[in-house]
Amino acid sequence: MQFALDISASSLDIDAAQQRHDEAVSLGVTPDQLSEVVTLLASIGVHTFFEGARMIDLASPGSAERGAFDPERQEIWDRHVGDRRYWIPMKEEIPGFLEALLWTSPDSFTAFITFVGVPFKSRHVDTLSKELISMAADASVSHRYLPGMRMHLRTSVLMGANRTMILEALAIGAASSSHIGVH
């Protein structure tokens, strides 16, 4: 978890990440596992989508009167979201985001769905750990994305995370370094 936070775009502390990488490898963490958490944390950038797409959509002419998706957008929605329970926490914590992104850019919507799914395909790291890592990243000192933190907290609890696991993840997030830059 600490490696993931140190290498994330919001921290990018290369020296600390190298140290955490070496520690993780010495404890038996595999390159596949490290790669999976790097990909997971690369998704922090999608928070720009979350907030930006809703702003852009609300400012778009006719957005308030919009009805159902046109046939092309409806097909994309049905293929990627539909009635899958997976998307419920996001819809609750970041209401209107998925719809706004699909309205503003079907290509960006499809790319978003594909990208955020990548670290969940290979399963080198268990899903609960990914949720705790994501929660810690959203609570980190240089990121602080409360809607995502709440979403990952809720999902972690539903997956069986206990109080100790959650508090440890939040403590790691709170202790992570600010972005120091890359030289």
Side-chain angles (χ1 to χ4, degrees), residues 150-170:
R150 285 190 307 250
M151 180 178 69
H152 295 297
L153 170 62
R154 180 187 317 173
T155 304
S156 296
V157 169
L158 290 172
M159 295 180 78
N162 61 38
R163 182 185 232 21
T164 301
M165 296 164 79
I166 291 166
L167 291 175
E168 284 179 13
L170 291 173

Side-chain angles (χ1 to χ4, degrees), residues 20-36:
R20 302 290 187 198
H21 168 276
D22 296 346
E23 290 170 4
V25 169
S26 74
L27 293 170
V29 175
T30 68
D32 287 336
Q33 290 171 314
L34 292 171
S35 178
E36 195 164 289

